[in-house]
Amino acid sequence: NKDLKGDVVVSMPLSVSTNLLPTSIKDFYEDYPEINIISNTFIDNTDFRNMDADIGITFLPPNNNEVVILYEKKVECGYFASPEYLARHGYPKDFEDMLENHWIVTRVQLSNFMKEWKEIEKKAKHTRFVTNSTYAATEIVRCGGGIAIMPLRFNREGLVCLDNFKCDKAPMVYLVAKKKSKDIPRVRAVI
């Protein structure tokens, strides 16, 4: 492991880099101290046609025969609010009550991987904050600005998952790599 060295470039949309954090990164660097990860983030999904990266993480499967899917995962989500928001505005009775009576925080790119999201946004009576920044949406929810759909990992971060109605939205995330570089030992280590 100590013999592997060099750069490995990983590309992903900002929503991935904000929501799917690499919790075991310290262990990786202990095992591979000479590998440097360079992370390129983009506002939207990239199609990886001209991927200037060894590895990519995306919500869309690649449409390029030079890129292969190595792994795919469904990201379970829920609707989240801060304890302060719920103390002030109450807990929604159900999904319809949330859309009718509560403040909604949304991201413009949600419809890229959840096709029905545009219809949900149309039904929401109080869409208070719309952004292209996943980080900004998360911080607005933390500050009591409304309810947003987020990966379930936010259960561990002090936000409250509205568990009295099911969130059936679960986007797919794909780990992809270039065919030509996926088997290079340092790239394989990062994969």
Side-chain angles (χ1 to χ4, degrees), residues 97-110:
D97 180 41
M98 180 184 77
L99 295 180
E100 184 74 28
N101 300 307
H102 287 271
W103 299 352
I104 303 299
V105 174
T106 189
R107 296 173 303 287
V108 294
Q109 67 271 33
L110 283 178

Side-chain angles (χ1 to χ4, degrees), residues 61-132:
N63 56 359
N64 177 341
N65 61 6
E66 295 299 313
V67 177
V68 294
I69 296 174
L70 301 174
Y71 183 74
E72 58 186 67
K73 179 179 175 67
K74 192 175 275 194
V75 179
E76 300 297 326
C77 292
Y79 296 99
F80 284 86
S82 70
E84 295 79 14
Y85 175 87
L86 295 173
R88 186 179 308 142
H89 300 282
Y91 208 96
K93 292 184 224 93
D94 54 28
F95 184 73
E96 296 304 319
D97 180 41
M98 180 184 77
L99 295 180
E100 184 74 28
N101 300 307
H102 287 271
W103 299 352
I104 303 299
V105 174
T106 189
R107 296 173 303 287
V108 294
Q109 67 271 33
L110 283 178
S111 61
N112 290 345
F113 52 89
M114 287 189 269
K115 299 298 180 211
E116 61 281 331
W117 192 254
K118 284 188 186 281
E119 290 304 312
I120 291 171
E121 283 181 324
K122 285 179 189 174
K123 290 180 185 176
K125 301 282 192 236
H126 308 284
T127 302
R128 297 295 178 146
F129 190 82
V130 179
T131 181
N132 67 352

Side-chain angles (χ1 to χ4, degrees), residues 8-17 37-60 67 173-178 190:
V8 177
V9 180
V10 182
S11 291
M12 66 190 83
L14 285 169
S15 53
V16 169
S17 68
I37 297 175
I38 300 168
S39 174
N40 292 328
T41 56
F42 304 94
I43 294 290
D44 291 317
N45 282 308
T46 178
D47 66 7
F48 294 104
R49 259 182 258 234
N50 301 310
M51 185 168 83
D52 190 22
D54 301 300
I55 303 167
I57 304 172
T58 180
F59 291 110
L60 299 172
V67 177
V173 176
Y174 301 91
L175 175 64
V176 301
K178 283 186 175 175
V190 175

Side-chain angles (χ1 to χ4, degrees), residues 128-148:
R128 297 295 178 146
F129 190 82
V130 179
T131 181
N132 67 352
S133 168
T134 301
Y135 175 79
T138 302
E139 290 306 302
I140 289 296
V141 172
R142 281 189 214 284
C143 295
I147 298 170

